[in-house]
């Protein structure tokens, strides 16, 4: 097997991690291997998808060149600060890809570490498959994300409310450096540690800033921009992360830690799926303010490195955070207009877009399929067609699109690239996971992966993957899966 590791994080100050090997599991067996991702990493999927591959991907054997560590970090969870760290994961190391990129390879569910607190260090098969499929869907939608290289069954049970089949997820990320990693350094107050992490993060994710005269401020500014763009990308496709704690926000700008996440059906900014999010802190429409709040925690952590004069540091940090609001507002309107096929900007465009959302919320119309119906022309006998509110809006929109002065096919082609047909619908995800974990039948999951891997291209025979589930008496609920 051709592992090429270079473990730069393991060369940082020891306070940032603990060297620890994964805990072996009883009977590792491959459940899924991501062949496309393996190829990008320069690994042969045929070798990974084998009994020997299962040994490596479960953590029973450590690949040559890996230096397993559990990373230390802290985090604000639902607003409360805790010292955390990888309680059920180890970073094997950084793979250097054939095209010269550096990618973390982490095993999640790999056993207890010094950061496990009361947890068992393990993961259940269902949530790890969920992370796999949602991550692949996000990747195919064009949204920065960590990805699953493999899921391996452990042959052991994990005990949650009931005994569940155990699994290890092999996860690939640009890095696992989180807002909470900087919060950890700030709480630690050991000289030099934060500085080393800062230099490492810049070299890795923002190489254009190497040698910048104000590196901490520059990092904050870039993080603000990237997180803002990430939340905008989520909102374009109706994604709700569900647990946007500061330990689940990566400095790389990738989506990380798929727990209780889900895609919104009917458009409503207050939509929440997570069973533990009682206050709606991480609701669909709260994601921008929460990202801002998290970035303010990053700014606080970096403060001493921003400027030795505290007042001056606060002023600079505030200015950097202040970029978020305007970038978000203009990005949101521009994004909606682009989804409606508009390139030029007229004064009434924001209102036109917002009025569609207001109609969708009143009518409880499906977010994904309404945008796509506008793109493709409504299917015959679509009940939305008869809605007078939507008819009036459509007349305004069609007149506005007419003023773009471009052939309608050109406009529709642009819209098709932004408005997906297929998202991982909640009921489809649940059905696929139930078959995989209950009967060991992976075929619905493989089919779902196939469907969401080409989200913008409608294909015959996949009609039932387009529709939202029938509205049930029970609201859809997701769980953290810990
Ligand atoms: P998460 O909610 O998955 O982002 O995890 C929050 C924190 O809890 C992290 O420090 C995890 O490592 C830790 N954690 C989650 N599940 C477990 C578990 N089963 N055993 C040990 N630590 C865990
Ligand atoms: Mg986490």
């Amino acid at each position: 097997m051709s592992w090429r590791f270079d473990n730069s994080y393991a060369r940082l100050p020891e306070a940032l991690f603990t060297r620890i090997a994964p805990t072996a599991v009883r009977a590792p067996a491959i459940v899924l291997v991501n062949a496309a991702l393996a190829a990008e990493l320069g690994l042969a999927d045929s070798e990974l998808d084998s009994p020997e591959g299962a040994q490596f991907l479960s953590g029973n054997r450590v690949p040559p060149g890996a230096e397993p560590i559990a990373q230390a970090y802290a985090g604000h969870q639902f607003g409360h600060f805790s010292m955390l760290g990888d309680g059920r994961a180890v970073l094997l190391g950084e793979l250097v890809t054939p095209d010269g990129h550096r990618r973390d390879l982490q095993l999640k569910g790999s056993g207890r570490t010094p950061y496990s607190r009361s947890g068992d260090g393990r993961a259940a098969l269902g949530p790890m498959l969920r992370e796999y499929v949602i991550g692949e869907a996000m990747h195919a939608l064009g949204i920065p994300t960590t990805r699953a290289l493999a899921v391996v069954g452990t042959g052991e049970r994990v005990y949650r409310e009931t005994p569940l089949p155990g699994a290890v997820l092999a996860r690939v990320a640009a890095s696992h450096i989180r807002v909470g990693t900087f919060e950890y350094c700030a709480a630690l107050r050991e000289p030099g540690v934060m500085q080393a992490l800062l230099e490492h993060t810049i070299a890795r994710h923002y190489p254009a800033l190497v040698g910048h005269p104000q590196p901490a401020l520059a990092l904050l500014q870039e993080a603000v921009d990237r997180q803002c763009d990430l939340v905008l990308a989520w909102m374009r496709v109706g994604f709700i992360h569900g647990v946007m704690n500061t330990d689940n926000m990566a400095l790389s700008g990738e989506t990380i830690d798929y727990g209780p996440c889900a895609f919104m059906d009917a458009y409503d900014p207050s939509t929440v799926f997570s069973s533990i999010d009682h206050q709606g802190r991480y609701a669909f429409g709260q994601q921008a303010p929460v990202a801002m709040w998290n970035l303010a925690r990053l700014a606080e952590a970096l403060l001493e490195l921003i400027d030795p004069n505290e007042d001056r540091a606060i002023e600079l940090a505030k200015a950097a955070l202040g970029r978020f609001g305007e970038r978000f507002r203009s990005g949101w309107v521009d994004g909606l207009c682009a989804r409606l096929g508009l390139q030029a900007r007229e004064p009434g465009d924001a209102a036109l877009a917002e009025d569609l959302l207001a109609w969708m919320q009143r009518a409880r119309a499906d977010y994904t399929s309404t945008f796509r119906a506008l793109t493709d022309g409504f299917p015959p006998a679509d009940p939305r067609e008869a809605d007078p509110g939507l008819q009036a809006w459509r007349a305004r929109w069609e007149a506005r699109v007419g003023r773009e002065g471009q052939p309608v096919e050109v406009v529709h082609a642009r819209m098709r690239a932004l408005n997906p047909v297929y998202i991982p619908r909640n009921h489809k995800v649940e059905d696929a996971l139930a078959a995989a974990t209950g009967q060991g039948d992976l075929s619905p999951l493989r089919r779902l992966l196939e469907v969401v891997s080409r989200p913008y291209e409608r294909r015959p025979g996949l009609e039932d993957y387009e529709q939202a589930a029938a509205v049930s008496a029970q609201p859809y609920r997701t769980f953290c899966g810990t």
Side-chain angles (χ1 to χ4, degrees), residues 468-481:
V471 177
S472 73
Q474 285 294 317
Y476 184 61
R477 282 282 162 266
T478 56
F479 301 91
C480 273

Side-chain angles (χ1 to χ4, degrees), residues 193-231:
V193 176
M194 172 99 74
Q195 182 65 39
L197 178 68
L198 173 67
E199 285 169 17
H200 175 91
T201 306
I202 287 178
R204 202 155 164 186
H205 298 304
Y206 303 93
L209 301 181
V210 172
H212 194 285
Q214 288 178 294
L217 181 63
L219 176 71
L220 178 62
Q221 286 170 338
E222 290 293 331
V224 166
D225 291 355
R226 259 195 230 188
Q227 281 305 322
C228 180
D229 293 350
L230 183 64
V231 170

Side-chain angles (χ1 to χ4, degrees), residues 182-336:
F182 284 89
E183 291 181 281
Y184 168 83
C185 293
L188 191 69
R189 306 195 67 80
E190 252 184 52
V193 176
M194 172 99 74
Q195 182 65 39
L197 178 68
L198 173 67
E199 285 169 17
H200 175 91
T201 306
I202 287 178
R204 202 155 164 186
H205 298 304
Y206 303 93
L209 301 181
V210 172
H212 194 285
Q214 288 178 294
L217 181 63
L219 176 71
L220 178 62
Q221 286 170 338
E222 290 293 331
V224 166
D225 291 355
R226 259 195 230 188
Q227 281 305 322
C228 180
D229 293 350
L230 183 64
V231 170
L232 286 166
W234 290 352
M235 291 176 73
R236 172 173 64 86
V237 298
F239 177 77
I240 304 170
H241 183 286
V243 60
M244 288 176 71
N245 296 330
T246 56
D247 51 305
N248 293 336
M249 188 189 262
L251 267 287
S252 63
E254 286 181 342
T255 313
I256 191 169
D257 273 2
Y258 293 94
C261 63
F263 286 73
M264 177 173 65
D265 297 313
Y267 175 75
D268 184 344
S270 70
T271 305
V272 169
F273 293 116
S274 169
S275 60
I276 58 169
D277 190 359
H278 307 295
Q279 312 291 321
R281 180 180 172 92
Y282 300 137
F284 178 77
Q286 283 301 310
Q287 297 186 112
V290 163
M292 259 286 276
W293 190 90
N294 290 350
L295 289 160
R297 306 288 79 75
L298 177 64
E300 278 169 8
L302 287 169
L303 215 51
E304 279 182 25
L305 295 185
I306 290 178
D307 198 288
N309 175 321
E310 194 181 342
D311 290 340
R312 176 100 189 106
I314 290 173
E315 206 176 295
L316 291 168
K318 274 190 175 158
L321 292 169
R323 296 155 70 105
F324 191 99
E326 181 45 32
R327 190 182 180 94
F328 179 77
R329 271 187 299 278
S330 61
W332 176 236
V333 170
D334 285 349
L336 287 170

Side-chain angles (χ1 to χ4, degrees), residues 73 77 84-85 87-88 116-117 119-122 160 248 257 482:
Y73 52 85
Q77 301 178 301
L84 301 165
R88 55 162 173 172
S116 295
R117 297 173 292 162
D120 62 0
R122 291 300 184 190
R160 300 296 180 253
N248 293 336
D257 273 2
T482 48

Side-chain angles (χ1 to χ4, degrees), residues 148-163:
L149 177 62
V151 172
V152 188
T154 59
E156 297 174 3
R157 302 259 140 207
V158 295
Y159 296 89
R160 300 296 180 253
E161 282 97 55
T162 50

